[in-house]
Amino acid sequence: MTTTAQDVISLKLERAFDALDANQDGYLEWSDYEQLGDRYIKAYGLDKSDRRARAIVMFNQMSWLELLRHSEPGTDRLSKEQFIAANRLATVDTSRLNVTEGGGHAIFDVIDVDGDNEISKAEFERCLREVWRSEAPEAMESFTRLDTDGDGSISRQEFIRAIREYYFSNDPEAPGSLFFGQV
C-alpha cells in the first residue's frame, strides 16, 4: 500500500508526538515542552543562563503557544490528532513564529557543541540518543542522508533544509523525514 503525501507528514508528526509525550498519557501539555527543553539543557550541560539554553526554552514556549493558538479556544493540552492539526496550521502560518527557521537555528546552535558551524556524526547521534531518546538504527543512519554534500558533517544550511523537509516534504525518502526514524 502506498502512503499518501498527507499521511507521510502525519506519520512524522505522530512520531514527534510520541517522543514529546513525556508521561505517555496521550496528551501534550506545556510540561512536555518544558521537559524537552530540560533534556537539551541536561544533555549538553548548559547553564540555564546560557544563550543557547534560553533560545531553546524560548522557542519551546513560542512553539507551544502557537500550537494552542491553532487549536480549539480554551485548549491547554493536545491529543495526538489535535497536535497534528495544530502543527500543520502553525508551520504554514509564519505571522508570529517561523517554526522551521527559528527552531532549526536554536537546535543547531545547541547540537553544534564545538561551535564549528557543523554537526558531526557524534554530535548528531548524541542529540538523537540523549534528547530525543532514539536508538532506532534508521535514525542513527540518517546522518549520511542529511549530509547532502557528503563532506562528513551537517552544515547549518543542510540542517535547516532537513527541518523544512520534515514539516513540508511529502517524500518519505527525503532526508528531513528521518528525524524520528523512517516513515
Side-chain angles (χ1 to χ4, degrees):
M1 182 167 107
T2 304
T3 304
T4 65
Q6 184 172 351
D7 287 338
V8 170
I9 293 170
S10 291
L11 286 171
K12 291 185 283 188
L13 292 171
E14 285 175 12
R15 204 169 284 119
F17 179 94
D18 293 339
L20 286 165
D21 186 9
N23 63 1
Q24 302 296 301
D25 68 350
Y27 291 93
L28 289 184
E29 300 170 310
W30 166 238
S31 62
D32 293 304
Y33 275 77
E34 283 181 305
Q35 288 180 45
L36 174 62
D38 290 344
R39 287 197 309 264
Y40 274 106
I41 291 167
K42 181 180 178 190
Y44 291 93
L46 301 174
D47 185 273
K48 289 196 180 218
S49 65
D50 185 296
R51 69 169 176 76
R52 296 167 297 169
R54 291 191 327 256
I56 288 290
V57 170
M58 181 63 70
F59 175 74
N60 284 347
Q61 286 177 321
M62 293 171 66
S63 295
W64 177 246
L65 292 173
E66 283 301 294
L67 291 176
L68 292 182
R69 185 169 78 92
H70 289 88
S71 299
E72 294 291 320
T75 300
D76 64 351
R77 67 184 200 155
L78 302 173
S79 68
K80 189 177 285 189
E81 294 75 27
Q82 291 169 316
F83 173 78
I84 292 168
N87 247 294
R88 287 176 178 274
L89 293 171
T91 54
V92 296
D93 176 4
T94 59
S95 64
R96 294 186 188 173
L97 172 67
N98 187 325
V99 173
T100 59
E101 298 293 325
H105 287 287
I107 293 166
F108 185 94
D109 289 342
V110 172
I111 297 172
D112 179 22
V113 174
D114 60 11
D116 65 353
N117 215 30
E118 297 179 329
I119 297 173
S120 68
K121 187 170 188 173
E123 289 170 329
F124 181 75
E125 288 178 345
R126 179 180 182 183
C127 180
L128 288 177
R129 191 175 43 259
E130 295 183 29
V131 176
W132 289 103
R133 300 178 179 155
S134 176
E135 297 285 343
E138 303 87 23
M140 297 300 180
E141 294 167 7
S142 66
F143 178 86
T144 304
R145 303 239 343 255
L146 295 173
D147 177 18
T148 58
D149 65 7
D151 69 353
S153 63
I154 300 170
S155 68
R156 184 178 296 270
Q157 180 181 4
E158 289 169 324
F159 189 77
I160 298 302
R161 182 181 319 125
I163 297 288
R164 284 185 200 122
E165 288 173 352
Y166 178 80
Y167 283 106
F168 299 116
S169 178
N170 297 324
D171 179 4
E173 300 299 317
S177 295
L178 300 172
F179 278 122
F180 299 100
Q182 273 187 303
V183 178

